[in-house]
Each structure stands twice: as structure tokens, then as C-alpha cells.
Amino acid sequence: MTTSSTASPALQGNGSSRRFAVMMWLLVAVMLLLAVANLLIGAVEIPPMEVLSILSGKVSDNYAWQVIVTETRLPMIATAALAGAALAVSGLLLQTVFANPLADPSILGVSTGSGLGVAIVMLAFGGSIGTVFGTTLGGYVSILLGAMLGAALVLLALLMFSMFVKSATMLLIIGIMVSYLASSAISFLNFFSTEAGVHSYVIWGLGNFSGVTLQQLPIMAIPVLLALISTMLLVKPLNAMLLGSRYAGNLGVNIRRVRNELLVITGVLTAVVTAFCGPIGFIGLIVPHIARLLLRTSNHNRLIPATILAGIDIALLCTFISVLPTSVGVMPINAITPVIGVPIIIYIILNRKRIFYFN
Amino acid sequence: MPILTTHNLSTGYRHGSSASTVMSHINVELHRGCLTALLGQNGIGKSTLLRTIAGSQPPIEGSVMLDGRDISGISRRELSRLLSMVFTDRTMAGGLTVRELVSLGRQPHTGFLGRLSSHDRRVVQQAIESVAIAHKTDAFVAELSDGERQKVMIAKALAQETPLIILDEPTAFLDVASRIDTLQLLSRLAHTTGKAILLSTHDVSQTLLLADELWVVTGNRSLLCGVTEDVVLSGAMQQMFASEKVKFNMLKGDYEVAVPTRGAVKLHCTDHTLSYWLRNALSRNGITIVPDEPDAPHTAAMATITATSPTCITVSGTQATSVAQMLATLTSHLSG
């Protein structure tokens, strides 16, 4: 990523909006491609024509295929898309709020906080995640609330520390420490839990997009969509916050209120995804950078839609890799995200002096 | 009418019920079309004063009146249209273009989603042009030099269209050329736009050349104000530092090190520049110059220096072809 040359200003101006259009179409195309790939290809081989016919509403002769397409692949694609968009946007918001390009829900411990909430609710219900997930709406809602409470607690702690700790790096380390504390509490809970509980917790912790049924999808979709819409409405203060809180305050932004709103949105997005899919790392960290590098801007006006699309793309890519035919079934998502995420983060850290949006 | 006045203002910090006062009994005014400079040593309370005047820190006592109203009663949104600030804070705005950053200055005037009208765009363009950075309009802020970046922040403040701009050490991290450039820009903006501009700075010599008014915080935390020359001539500058080691040179308009006196000479030199730098060399070496009058009361002069060019300096009859030789001769006089 080299810095742009000094072409004629008018041309460059046009270039950036043309670039936006091109990149958005590209991201949409990749999204459609991956969605189709995820429908057609999976652990079980189904003829493409058969998939299309099932999608068009025809009842297939092969009942198993029918179930796999409508009750496994479709909800999985929707879940991955929602989770990808949610995690990517919460990463972007945390990076702006904490003025730290390495912030994301898993690094700052928000995901772990949600995980702790989930673990506590599970124990309170006296069972494992597997059994709670398999049962009532009430069970779902309480898991969701537990996750949100956990996320909120971690965010609140971070916010409190951010008042005393001015250094972004130190705050990041505090986030990691808070995350360790939450992990330790989770370990305690697991220690006292049943063997089945521990097993399902470990499976949940590996991350997957295939645990949400078509009927449960709205419970995940509604809060995520509401949070994403709220984010779009905060573009103006988000851009002001790029200048730091003092400048933003002087531009009329009520820093405290906006920051709280942003943290609530981040908490909801992270908690919902964590409750349904497990604590998923790296998507929140890398996707905002991918979006900035593609669009060549830090302007949230364009960055938020691009982050949403890129988040969907990356999550669908991870899903696609996870269901590639293996002998043991679906691979855990958290085994795949670091393989994609770590090289990107290292690339960004190594090139930070040359990447246009730093400093 | 001044745009800003303070009435018996005390600045400081509250800790619960107790308060620690930094400066007290401040009664000052800021005038439209004036560049006012706040001078004072580090840690004396300049930033606290600026924050209090800008309404972001409550006063311990007294009041700040902005545009005829008590600043504590002005809403955040309204305040953002009356007063714009420039800091030296690190930002995350490297990925915005100059135009996008300056457009942020329009936020107090735009609606909920921050959409810019054609009027807003014109104001932004004008702001960019008036800080002479138009050729970088579409460059990323990350690509700019420190001086250019500071100009962009000033353009942001201009785009805010406020009658008052406050800058906290805007020249702190700039090289000499950018410092002069920035101060000149601020002076020109104050005079052409009729805005009141207040800045804090450590750049004494440049400030004395360009500021219309001075606020000098003395070593004992009182504030001396007035038109620049009045303040300088009143001797206020010498009170800025409590130290005996630095003294204000009224002729140079800057601080210099106070060197213990080792001797005195008479100086004959008609060339202005040569005379200035000879004096510089002498004072640096602790040698004062006594008035060159035949019937001067004291005859302490150890030598008479006559200079016609940098290569022709006579020290009591001894020829010197450089300032270095002149100093060497004088040193031998001193030791002898």
C-alpha cells in the first residue's frame, strides 16, 4: 500500500467514489459467489441441480438432501453472514472508540466476557449448552442475556480503565488480562460442571455457524440488524471521534453519551454472536483493516457498509473452508480464522509505516 | 464589544469539596480581529486557563462571558458554533483526505447524518484555500508534514465558522520555518476575517513580532495583559521566569542567558549588523559595553574595540581578522 501520487485533485476525488462503487460491487459479488458455493458444496455431496430444485421449492425425493439444504446449509449461510457482519462492525467500533487499530471484541476480552455469561447461565440451568440450546425459547433468551451481561461487564471495566489508562497499548493489555480473568472463571465453572457440560462447552468454544436452526434465526437476526442500523446512524460522531475526544467534544459531540451508545451496540453484536456461535476471534480485528485497505479511507460513511460486506465475505469463506469434505465432518471455525487472520495482521503491523491510514 | 471577557475568574481543579486554585482574579478580554498570545513557563497553568476559557473545565470562581453570555449556560452544540479549538493531540485521521477532515469542521452546522450542503462545501473549500493548502485537498492527512497537518486543523477551525478560535501550543512540534508560517497565517486570519484568535506558545521572539496582544503569566501566576509592545515595555517579560539565569533582552525581544560579568569594553562600530553580532559575542562571554562617551563617569573599560568589517577589528591597537581573534585577544587581556 503505497501513498497516492499527486494526481489532479478532481480526478482523485472522482477516483475515490468510483473506487467505493467498484469495491462494493466486488464485495457483493464475492458474497454471492461464496453463498452459492456454500449451498452447493458441503460435507455431503448433493448434485447442484438437485440443490437448485430444492431451493426453488420442489420437494426432493431424497429426504436427507432436502433437510441438509433447507435446514443445515441455508441457516448456516445466514448465521455466518450475520455473525461476520456483527463481529466486523463491533471490531470497527472498538477500534474507533479506543483509538486503537488492534482493538477487537476477542482481544479486548468482550467475547470471553460473553462466554463467561453463557457458562454461568448454563450452570444455573443445571445442564450443558447442548441441552439448553436444544430446548425452549426461554433457554435461548437467558443464554443471550447472560452473554450480553458478560459483554457489558467487560466493556464497563474497559471503559473505567480507559479513564485512568491513556495509553492505547496498555488498555489493550488490560483487555487481555480481563480476558484471562474471565477464562479463569470459565475454567472454574467447567471444573465443577458435568463431563457432558464440559464437552459441549469445549465444542461451543471452537466456534461454529451451524448451530442455529431456521426457527431460531430471527432471535439472532433481529438484535444484530437493529445494532447495525443504529451504527449507521452514528456515522457523524464516529468520524468526529477519529480526531480524538477533545476535538470531537469541540465539534458538539456528547462524547460520554456516544461512547456509551457505541459500547452498547458493540456489546449486543458481540454477545449475540458469541451466544449462538461461540467466541470467534480475528474477524473483528482484520475485517475493518481489509475494508480500509480496499476503500482507501477511514471515513465511516463508506467504511461501515464495506466492513459489513467484507465481514460477511470472510465469515462465508471460513464457513466454506470448514465444510470442505473431510472424513470427520465440519471443522471448527476457530481453527480457520487464525489461518486467515494472523497473516493479515502481521502484514499490517509490518507495513504500518507505509499504510495510509496510520498516524 | 469584546467576544470574550472573564470576570474575577479563578482556574483550578476540584477534588470533592476542596479545590486547588491554579490562577486567580483573572480579568481579561479577547477582541475581534486580534491575535492574542498566551505566554508563560511550562506547568504554570496555561492549558488550564485555556480549558476554563473554552468551557471544558468549570471555573473555581468567577465567570467566563462568551459573546455576552455566561459560557456555563451555553449548550455543547451552541458552543461548537461560537468557539473552535486546535490541539496538538494525536489523531486517527490519517485515512481521511484533507477535504474530509476540514469538512468535519462543518459538523456543528449540519444535520443528524452530517450531510454537506453546497454552502458547506464552499465554506470547506474557502477554509482550505485560506490556509494555502489547496494543492493537498485530496491528499491523505497521513501524507502531510507536521506543519501542513497543523494548517489543516486550522482550516477545520475556520470551517467551523466561529467568532473565536483557541489554539493550545499550535507550533509545539513544528520546525522553525513552519512555526513562522503558522504564526503569520494566524495573524493574517485574525486581521482579514475579524475573528478573535488566542494561542498559547513558547515561541517568544516570533510571537512578539506577530501577536497584537499578549497575556503573560508571571512566575507567581498572575496574568499581565495588553497590546504587545505595552506589555514588553512594562517589563512584564522579565517576570515570566522566576529564574535569575535567564533575562529578557528588550532590544532583541527574546530571552537570553544571564552570564556573570567579567569585564567591560568600549565599542566603535557604525555597521549595524556587525555591531549586533559583536555585542552578541561579547555578552555571551560576560563582557559588557560601556557607553562610548569621552567624559563617561566610569573608566572601567579594559579595551576599546574599533570595527569596520568582520575581518578588520582592532582591540586597543591590536589587529584582529575575525571575531575569534578578537575574543582571544580579550581573553588574554582578562587573564593578564
Side-chain angles (χ1 to χ4, degrees), chain A residues 129-148:
Chain A
I129 290 190
T131 60
V132 174
F133 261 3
T135 56
T136 55
L137 182 74
Y140 258 114
V141 171
S142 41
I143 284 213
L144 208 55
L145 287 179
M148 285 188 190

Side-chain angles (χ1 to χ4, degrees), chain A residues 62-129:
Chain A
N62 188 326
Y63 179 69
W65 290 356
Q66 176 87 28
V67 171
I68 286 171
V69 171
T70 57
E71 287 176 33
T72 306
R73 291 189 185 174
L74 265 184
M76 184 179 67
I77 290 166
T79 306
L82 285 169
L87 290 174
V89 167
S90 56
L92 174 64
L93 298 185
L94 287 175
Q95 287 173 13
T96 302
V97 169
F98 289 111
N100 191 326
L102 291 181
D104 101 317
S106 59
I107 287 194
L108 287 176
V110 186
S111 302
T112 324
S114 296
L116 178 59
V118 172
I120 290 173
V121 170
M122 273 168 48
L123 277 201
F125 274 71
S128 66
I129 290 190

Side-chain angles (χ1 to χ4, degrees), chain B residues 158-221:
Chain B
L158 289 175
Q160 237 172 304
E161 288 193 306
T162 58
L164 171 60
I165 301 178
I166 296 180
L167 307 94
D168 194 357
E169 302 205 13
T171 57
F173 300 113
L174 306 185
D175 58 36
V176 181
S178 307
R179 281 180 193 199
I180 296 173
D181 199 26
T182 307
L183 277 172
Q184 253 165 355
L185 168 69
L186 291 172
S187 160
R188 184 167 53 79
L189 287 174
H191 297 161
T192 56
T193 63
K195 292 175 192 292
I197 301 183
L198 170 66
L199 77 149
S200 66
T201 179
H202 289 288
D203 264 329
V204 174
S205 58
Q206 287 304 322
T207 305
L208 294 188
L209 293 177
L210 288 164
D212 300 301
E213 299 203 3
L214 287 189
W215 291 5
V216 175
V217 188
T218 64
N220 57 11
R221 296 180 195 273

